[in-house]
Amino acid sequence: CPVGNEPLLDRALDRLAGLGLTGCDRVAVNACYLGDQVVERVGDRAHRSVEPGDPLGTAGGIGNLRDWIAGRGVLVGNADAYLADPAAPPGPDLAALLDGWDGDTVRLLGQPAPDPAEPGTFDGHRFVGFSLLPWRLVRDLPPTFGDLVRAVWRPAEAAGTLAVVPYRGTFYDTGTPADYLAANLHAAGDGNLVHPTASVSGRCHRAVVGAGAVVRGTVTRSVLWPGAEVHTGEHLVDVVRTADGLTVPAG
């Protein structure tokens, strides 16, 4: 799933590489839904953990990797988290999450919530995609469905061993069409982001146009996936279009 013409999975792996974390002995990727595509995309850049059957959730996926983790602390990242800090490149923008870690507490990357008391917040912050977990809390996670919120984060919060590290950049979780579009438009800035292999004879305004896409009509605040087409006379506004012609409203 591309944001700014770069697959979110590649963005996540590049961010880890910016922290010096590379290779199958230090980086693992969970795969379940469309797992074959994930495995193919990862290649030999990371250890590939293919979850059998239904997804195991954020806690079960780590439990499934227990033998690979083997006593180490764990930096957990959601691949669908879009992060961008104008003051630091991917990787160094997360450095504060790791700096001075004692290896025993739980850390979450967060941003102040508009309402500090809203459900799902931690110390008045919303979670923004990355957490740091000690081995003592990872070793007992079973390889069955579960989530980190209930299995690790809330218990650590109750025990006074959870800390939130603020993230100063921009964050979108890309989990809805609206947030996915917003992340792409942020990546494009005030102009257009057009892949060199795309063909544009029409007009674009704040658009992200993927590899091999063809624009003969008009595209405004929209995302075209690789191979997508916009025909003469069409005017797309606030949508995502795929190569097979699926058009998803993002407004």
Side-chain angles (χ1 to χ4, degrees):
C1 185
V3 168
N5 285 337
E6 183 180 4
L8 279 164
L9 180 55
D10 289 354
R11 286 179 173 270
L13 292 173
D14 289 346
R15 177 165 271 107
L16 296 180
L19 288 167
L21 300 173
T22 60
C24 294
D25 60 333
R26 304 191 73 190
V27 178
V29 173
N30 283 349
C32 189
Y33 177 67
L34 300 180
D36 291 345
Q37 292 185 29
V38 174
V39 166
E40 181 180 1
R41 189 73 195 182
V42 171
D44 61 1
R45 291 182 291 171
H47 174 76
R48 299 168 298 186
S49 177
V50 181
E51 300 177 0
D54 294 331
L56 294 173
T58 52
I62 296 172
N64 198 43
L65 280 162
R66 182 170 46 204
D67 292 343
W68 176 85
I69 295 168
R72 297 176 288 181
V74 183
L75 174 65
V76 182
N78 297 342
D80 59 357
Y82 172 83
L83 298 167
D85 185 345
D93 65 338
L94 301 186
L97 187 64
L98 282 71
D99 287 347
W101 185 49
D102 60 7
D104 190 60
T105 55
V106 173
R107 286 185 174 182
L108 302 183
L109 197 67
Q111 288 185 328
D115 177 3
E118 72 180 46
T121 58
F122 296 85
D123 191 24
H125 291 73
R126 289 177 173 173
F127 172 65
V128 298
F130 281 81
S131 62
L132 197 57
L133 311 178
W135 168 248
R136 68 178 180 85
L137 298 180
V138 169
R139 65 188 174 200
D140 295 326
L141 292 176
T144 56
F145 180 80
D147 64 80
L148 288 174
V149 175
R150 295 196 253 308
V152 177
W153 298 349
R154 290 302 183 194
E157 182 183 44
T161 58
L162 181 143
V164 177
V165 177
Y167 184 73
R168 61 187 175 184
T170 297
F171 163 74
Y172 294 102
D173 73 2
T174 72
T176 66
D179 282 345
Y180 175 75
L181 176 61
N184 273 276
L185 296 182
H186 184 273
D190 293 329
N192 300 304
L193 190 56
V194 180
H195 193 276
T197 64
S199 174
V200 179
S201 57
R203 298 175 57 190
C204 294
H205 175 65
R206 293 203 70 202
V208 176
V209 182
V214 177
V215 179
R216 297 187 181 94
T218 303
V219 181
T220 301
R221 297 188 308 277
S222 296
V223 180
L224 303 185
W225 279 18
E229 287 191 58
V230 181
H231 302 288
T232 302
E234 277 194 292
H235 186 186
L236 301 186
V237 181
D238 295 331
V239 302
V240 178
R241 175 165 288 182
T242 67
D244 60 4
L246 177 67
T247 303
V248 180

